[in-house]
Amino acid sequence: MNKNYKALELDKILDIVASETTCDDAAEAVRSIEPVKTAPEARLLLEETDAAFVLMAKFGGPSFRDLKNVSNPLRRAQAGGSLGMRELLDVAGTLRSIRSLQSWHDKSAGMRTALSDRFSVLSPNKYLEEKIFTSIVSEEEMADAASPALATIRRKIRNASARARDQLDKLVRSPAHQKHLQESIITQRGGRYVVPVKAEFRGEVPGLVHDTSSSGATVFIEPMSVVEANNEIRVLQSEELEEINRILRELSAEAGEFADGIIHSYKCAVELNVIFAKAQTAYRMKAVTPRVREDGVTDLRAARHPLIHKDKVVPTDITLGRSFDTLIITGPNTGGKTVALKTVGLLTLMAMCGLMIPAGDGSELSVFDNILADIGDEQSIEQSLSTFSAHMTNIIGILNSAGEHSLVLLDELGAGTDPVEGAALAAAIIEELRSKGVKLACTTHYAELKAYALQTPGVENGCCEFDVESLRPTYRLLIGVPGKSNAFAISKRLGLPDHIVDRAGELVSRESSEFERVIGRLEEDRRKLQDELELAQRAAGRARDSIRAAEAKQFEAGVQAKRELEQARKEAAEIVAKTRRQADALLNELDEARRQKNKALSAEQKARLRSGMRDMETSADPVHHRRDSGDYTLPRELKPGDSVLIFDLDKQATVLEAPRDGQALVQAGIIKTRVEVKNLRLLEDKGSQKPKGRTVTKSVSAPEGGTSLDLRGMSSDEALMEVDSFLDRVGRMNLQQVTIIHGKGTGVLRAAVQKHLRRCPTVKSFRLGGFGEGESGVTVVELK
C-alpha cells in the first residue's frame, strides 16, 4: 500500500471492513481497495454503499453463508475431470448462497437501487444445487437416493450381510462351539465377517483364517458357511464404489456445463459482500454519505476519527479550500493537532474508497489525484537519519510529486532544528507548495507561522483549544484563531514559582508579548461568541422540534380524519346495501300481495311486513343510542379539558367549553358538537376509564415485533436463511434475547435450527422454551 495511505492509517480501516466480510476472497478484495481518482467514480461507489446501508436498515443484511471460491474445481470439471464429494458440496453451498442473495433481493423488488443491476446478474441454479444435496449426504457419504442402481446395490449388501450374520449368530450360539470361541461376538477383518476362535481350537471351526491377535491366543476365522455371503458382499461393494464414482462423474459433468455462470455469479456475490461489508462498517461507525466535490473544497462537520473509541473521540469541524487553501494549525502538544490532520486525510481516502465517513450530515469532501502526508517521527538509525532529516526527505518527495489536484498534510513542519531557521524553512516550503496549487494543512509551534497566516491572503490560522483551568485539551479545532502557547499559564498552574514565571515574561520580546496578548483577547471574545452561538442554536433547535411536532400532529390528525371518513364510507355502503336487500324483499312480498288482491292479507303476512319495515329503519340508522338509566349524577361541574363519555353513542370526547344552557361543547375525534349535559359521563382517569357500572371489552393484540421469528411451515434451507437474516437484524437492535418458533412436529426443523445456532458467532447460548414460553416448540436464544 502507498506509504502516504499507511501514514494516514487507511490500512487499519480496510482491516475493519475486511472483518465484516464472510468469504476469504471478499476480505482480500477489501484489503486491496485503492482510492479512485475521479469524483464520478467516488460518487458511484458511495451510492452503492449507501444503497446497501438503506436496504440493510429496511430488510436486514443478506446472508453470504457457504460462499466459497469454487473456480478451480469447476474449471477442472469443465475440462472433464471428476470432483470429490467435498468439492461438489462446496459448489452446492455456493449455489445456495447465490440463491439466498437473489431471494433476499426479491423482498425489496419494489425498490430500484444502485445495486439492482448487480443482483440481476446473479444466476441461481436450484436444479444442480438440489441434485448435489440430494445425492451427497456428507463429504464421506453418498445418499441412497443418488441413483436407483445405488439404492439396489446397497439393499443387496444389507441382505447379504444379514444372511452372513444369521449364519454366524447360529454358530456363536451353538453349544458345540461355545468352548472353541474366545468371545461370543461377530466382528470384521478386511471387510469380511469373522468370529474370534481360541488358537488351540482353530481346527475345530472350519474356515479361512484372516488375522490373529497380538498375543497369538486368538485367531479370526471366516467360517466356510459364510464365505459365499462374504464374497457376494465384496462384489457388491465393488459395484457400489463404481456406481458412486459414476454418480460423481455425472454430477461433475453437470457442474462443468454451468461452470461459467456459477463462477460469474460467485464473483458478483463477492463484490456484493464487499459492498455490504462497507455498509455494515458504516452502521457501526454511525457514518454518513458525504457530498463529493471536484474543486478541492473540504467541509467536515462533527467529524470523528474512526480509529478512536467512540466514548473518547471529540467531534470537530474542519474546513479547507473554500476561502483559503492553506490551514496552519497551532497549539500545545497532545492537544489534537495531529488527529485533526489525520482526520482530514483519512476521511478523504475513505470517501475515495467508497466508504461512508463518521461525520455529520452536510459534510463535503473533494477527490484528489494525490494525498501526500508527512506525519510521525521517521528517524532511522540504520540510515543515519535524524528526525529533521527524515522529515526533510519526505518533504522533498512531496514537493516533487505535488500538483494542482493534491492534498498535502504536514505534521510539525520545520521541527527538529534551530527555531529561527526552521520557521523560515517552513514558510518557504508553504509558499512553494501554494505556488503548485495544492490544498495544504500543516501543524507547527512556530509563532512566525502564526503571523505569516495573519498577513498572507489564502492562509488561515487554526488551533486546538486548551482549557488552562483544568490543564486539559478540549480537542476542538478552531478555524480562524491562532493557537496560544499557554506555557506561562500552565507552568504557574503546575506550581512553578511566580518570580521565575515573571522573569521569563520579561525575557520575551515586547512584540511576542503583545502578540500573545492579542491572541488571548481574540480567544476570550471567541469563547463569548461561541457561547452565544450555542445558546442561539439550542433555541433554534427547540423551535424546529416544536414545529416538527406540530406538523406531525397535524399530519396525524389529517390521516386519522381520512381513515375515519373512509370507514364511514364503507359502513354507509354496507348500510345502503343491506337496506336495499330488505327493501327488495318487502317489494317482492307487496307484489305477491297485489297478485292475490282478491284475497285479504293474513295476520301473519301483515306482522311480517311491519317487522320488515322496522328492521329496515333500524339498519338504515348507523347511530346506536343507549337508554339513559336516569340514576347518574355528575360528581362535579364539567370544565374544559375534562374527558367524558357521550352515553347514548358510547363515544369518548373532550370538553371544549364549560356547560351553558344545559349543553356543553365537546370534541369526539375530529367532530365538534354540543351535547346535553345529562347525556355526558365524567371519566375520572382521562382517556382511560369509563364510568362505573359499565363493562368495556377491549381486544388487545400484542404482536411480538422484532423479538421473535416464526419458521413453521418452512423447509430447513428456507428456515436457516430466515434465521441468518433475523439474527443480523436483531444484532443491530442490540437485543439480548430472542425467540425462534419452529413448532414441535417431528423435530427435524428444531434440530436443524439448533445445529445452525451452534455455529453462529453472535449466539451466546440457547435453550428450549419453558412452561408458558412454548416448551419444545420454541428455542430461546441469548445473544452476545
Side-chain angles (χ1 to χ4, degrees):
M1 177 179 283
N2 184 311
K3 71 171 186 176
N4 295 292
Y5 301 165
K6 291 196 79 169
L8 294 169
E9 300 177 297
L10 177 63
D11 55 324
K12 295 180 181 178
I13 297 297
L14 295 181
D15 284 340
I16 293 174
V17 179
S19 68
E20 299 292 345
T21 59
T22 303
C23 67
D24 294 339
D25 284 359
E28 184 179 346
V30 168
R31 292 190 176 94
S32 62
I33 288 176
E34 287 289 330
V36 296
K37 304 296 184 182
T38 65
E41 289 178 293
R43 291 190 190 105
L44 177 60
L45 292 176
L46 284 169
E47 188 179 354
E48 290 181 336
T49 305
D50 185 65
F53 187 87
V54 172
L55 288 172
M56 287 175 65
K58 290 188 175 183
F59 307 104
S63 172
F64 294 89
R65 181 172 63 94
D66 295 334
L67 193 64
K68 294 182 180 178
N69 189 346
V70 290
S71 301
N72 290 337
L74 285 172
R75 291 304 183 199
R76 198 166 73 250
Q78 196 175 36
S82 179
L83 305 184
M85 294 189 202
R86 177 70 269 165
E87 291 173 317
L88 286 168
L89 286 174
D90 287 343
V91 171
T94 299
L95 287 172
R96 179 167 60 188
S97 184
I98 292 169
R99 182 168 59 87
S100 169
L101 285 173
Q102 190 180 64
S103 174
W104 179 87
H105 185 255
D106 288 344
K107 294 179 185 177
S108 58
M111 295 181 61
R112 176 72 184 175
T113 69
L115 298 177
S116 297
D117 290 338
R118 289 186 179 275
F119 278 102
S120 66
V121 299
L122 295 175
S123 302
N125 192 330
K126 192 173 182 181
Y127 159 75
L128 182 59
E129 172 195 340
E130 290 184 344
K131 186 168 184 179
I132 293 174
F133 279 132
T134 302
S135 301
I136 303 175
V137 177
S138 69
E139 58 184 291
E140 298 177 351
E141 181 181 359
M142 183 74 71
D144 289 355
S147 75
L150 183 62
T152 300
I153 292 169
R154 287 182 172 173
R155 186 173 62 254
K156 290 179 179 179
I157 291 174
R158 288 192 293 271
N159 292 338
S161 298
R163 290 196 303 272
R165 291 187 68 88
D166 288 343
Q167 291 288 334
L168 293 175
D169 280 339
K170 292 178 183 177
L171 187 145
V172 298
R173 292 196 185 100
S174 171
H177 290 294
Q178 285 293 321
K179 64 179 181 179
H180 304 148
L181 300 178
Q182 195 71 262
E183 292 181 84
S184 297
I185 61 171
I186 302 170
T187 183
Q188 284 188 330
R189 286 295 185 274
R192 302 177 75 88
Y193 288 106
V194 295
V195 292
V197 179
K198 296 177 181 178
E200 59 267 28
F201 295 117
R202 60 187 298 177
E204 301 297 328
V205 180
L208 305 175
V209 176
H210 284 276
D211 197 6
T212 60
S213 65
S214 58
S215 63
T218 305
V219 292
F220 295 93
I221 296 177
E222 176 186 5
M224 295 303 296
S225 58
V226 297
V227 169
E228 188 60 35
N230 276 333
N231 288 341
E232 182 182 357
I233 291 171
R234 293 300 292 270
V235 171
L236 290 170
Q237 286 174 340
S238 298
E239 293 178 3
E240 177 191 26
L241 181 60
E242 180 56 35
E243 179 62 16
I244 289 174
N245 289 332
R246 186 197 67 77
I247 294 169
L248 290 175
R249 288 193 298 272
E250 180 182 312
L251 292 173
S252 300
E254 292 201 52
E257 291 178 8
F258 299 109
D260 292 335
I262 297 172
I263 292 172
H264 182 64
S265 294
Y266 168 76
K267 291 178 179 178
C268 293
V270 168
E271 292 172 358
L272 286 169
N273 194 193
V274 170
I275 294 170
F276 278 93
K278 291 180 181 179
Q280 184 65 31
T281 303
Y283 178 83
R284 297 192 187 283
M285 291 183 178
K286 294 181 172 53
V288 299
T289 302
R291 181 188 172 197
V292 178
R293 306 174 62 115
E294 300 177 84
D295 55 0
V297 171
T298 296
D299 186 2
L300 295 174
R301 303 177 184 179
R304 309 177 302 279
H305 194 288
L307 296 177
I308 300 177
H309 194 276
K310 62 181 181 180
D311 296 333
K312 296 181 180 179
V313 68
V314 177
T316 187
D317 297 341
I318 306 174
T319 305
L320 177 65
R322 199 183 296 277
S323 58
F324 54 90
D325 57 33
T326 300
L327 177 64
I328 298 177
I329 304 173
T330 52
N333 288 325
T334 71
K337 302 190 302 297
T338 304
V339 171
L341 213 60
K342 283 188 172 183
T343 300
V344 173
L346 182 56
L347 266 56
T348 301
L349 286 173
M350 288 175 65
M352 292 166 64
C353 291
L355 290 164
M356 297 163 66
I357 63 171
D361 291 329
S363 295
E364 298 178 323
L365 287 169
S366 292
V367 174
F368 296 94
D369 291 341
N370 292 302
I371 296 181
L372 306 167
D374 176 46
I375 296 176
D377 186 356
E378 298 189 13
Q379 65 178 328
S380 171
I381 296 175
E382 292 180 358
Q383 299 180 16
S384 301
L385 292 177
S386 66
T387 299
F388 177 77
S389 300
H391 280 300
M392 279 300 107
T393 301
N394 283 340
I395 289 172
I396 291 168
I398 289 172
L399 288 169
N400 292 332
S401 303
E404 184 178 358
H405 300 291
S406 297
L407 173 65
V408 178
L409 306 170
L410 303 176
D411 189 27
E412 300 292 354
L413 180 59
T417 187
D418 177 75
V420 176
E421 293 182 357
L425 194 58
I429 291 170
I430 291 173
E431 289 180 355
E432 176 64 20
L433 288 171
R434 292 191 68 214
S435 69
K436 292 177 177 287
V438 306
K439 298 297 181 287
L440 171 64
C442 63
T443 67
T444 184
H445 286 286
Y446 293 137
E448 291 86 348
L449 292 183
K450 301 177 193 177
Y452 173 81
L454 289 171
Q455 298 166 0
T456 308
V459 182
E460 189 61 86
N461 270 306
C463 72
C464 288
E465 191 177 44
F466 191 88
D467 188 345
V468 179
E469 294 300 319
S470 63
L471 299 181
R472 294 177 64 87
T474 66
Y475 299 106
R476 293 174 58 197
L477 179 64
L478 308 176
I479 305 292
V481 180
K484 187 180 179 184
S485 69
N486 296 308
F488 293 167
I490 293 172
S491 300
K492 185 177 287 188
R493 285 269 316 165
L494 291 174
L496 189 68
D498 291 346
H499 70 276
I500 297 178
V501 176
D502 294 340
R503 177 56 181 160
E506 294 171 1
L507 295 175
V508 175
S509 65
R510 182 175 176 279
E511 291 80 3
S512 296
S513 299
E514 184 61 28
F515 184 72
E516 290 294 329
R517 280 196 293 273
V518 170
I519 291 176
R521 286 196 296 272
L522 286 173
E523 174 64 11
E524 186 178 349
D525 293 342
R526 185 205 62 78
R527 288 195 179 184
K528 289 179 181 178
L529 290 173
Q530 182 68 28
D531 292 341
E532 293 175 3
L533 178 61
E534 289 178 357
L535 287 174
Q537 287 175 338
R538 283 197 290 270
R542 287 194 295 271
R544 285 193 297 270
D545 292 342
S546 299
I547 292 171
R548 280 196 293 266
E551 290 175 346
K553 287 183 179 179
Q554 183 180 8
F555 177 76
E556 185 178 351
V559 171
Q560 181 66 19
K562 290 180 181 178
R563 191 182 295 117
E564 292 186 5
L565 189 59
E566 183 64 26
Q567 183 65 25
R569 287 197 187 99
K570 290 181 180 178
E571 292 179 0
E574 292 173 0
I575 290 171
V576 169
K578 184 176 180 181
T579 305
R580 185 177 289 117
R581 289 194 299 270
Q582 292 174 333
D584 290 342
L586 287 173
L587 288 174
N588 290 336
E589 290 196 27
L590 288 173
D591 288 342
E592 182 64 24
R594 289 194 194 97
R595 285 195 295 271
Q596 299 177 2
K597 60 184 177 179
N598 295 329
K599 298 181 181 179
L601 291 175
S602 65
E604 180 182 352
Q605 287 177 315
K606 292 178 180 178
R608 190 164 62 249
L609 287 172
R610 281 194 294 272
S611 175
M613 291 294 290
R614 283 195 300 272
D615 291 344
M616 187 167 64
E617 289 174 358
T618 301
S619 64
D621 184 5
V623 180
H624 300 283
H625 299 274
R626 302 177 73 244
R627 292 185 179 181
D628 190 353
S629 61
D631 59 355
Y632 178 79
T633 303
L634 286 170
R636 59 173 175 79
E637 288 291 326
L638 296 177
K639 58 185 180 181
D642 283 343
S643 184
V644 296
L645 177 78
I646 304 176
F647 185 77
D648 60 353
L649 298 181
D650 194 24
K651 184 74 174 177
Q652 288 192 31
T654 303
V655 176
L656 299 179
E657 294 180 1
R660 189 172 65 244
D661 300 329
Q663 292 186 330
L665 179 64
V666 301
Q667 180 167 358
I670 62 171
I671 305 299
K672 294 181 181 178
T673 183
R674 289 192 177 276
V675 182
E676 292 187 6
V677 174
K678 65 181 181 180
N679 192 31
L680 298 176
R681 303 290 184 266
L682 180 63
L683 299 179
E684 296 298 334
D685 186 6
K686 186 176 179 181
S688 62
Q689 297 182 1
K690 293 193 176 182
K692 209 170 184 180
R694 299 186 66 247
T695 302
V696 181
T697 303
K698 186 177 181 182
S699 174
V700 180
S701 174
E704 294 179 349
T707 64
S708 68
L709 174 66
D710 193 344
L711 303 176
R712 290 175 292 185
M714 298 185 186
S715 68
S716 294
D717 287 345
E718 293 171 341
L720 295 185
M721 293 179 194
E722 291 297 326
V723 167
D724 282 338
S725 178
F726 174 66
L727 292 179
D728 183 81
R729 183 170 64 255
V730 299
R732 288 196 302 277
M733 295 166 62
N734 292 324
L735 296 180
Q736 298 299 315
Q737 182 172 296
V738 294
T739 303
I740 298 176
I741 306 169
H742 42 62
K744 298 180 180 178
T746 61
V748 173
L749 185 56
R750 178 179 68 243
V753 168
Q754 293 187 350
K755 181 179 179 182
H756 182 63
L757 290 175
R758 290 189 184 97
R759 299 195 298 264
C760 288
T762 58
V763 173
K764 182 178 181 181
S765 63
F766 59 87
R767 59 177 175 81
L768 288 176
F771 181 76
E773 293 180 316
E775 301 178 358
S776 61
V778 305
T779 294
V780 180
V781 183
E782 184 178 355
L783 302 175
K784 294 180 180 177

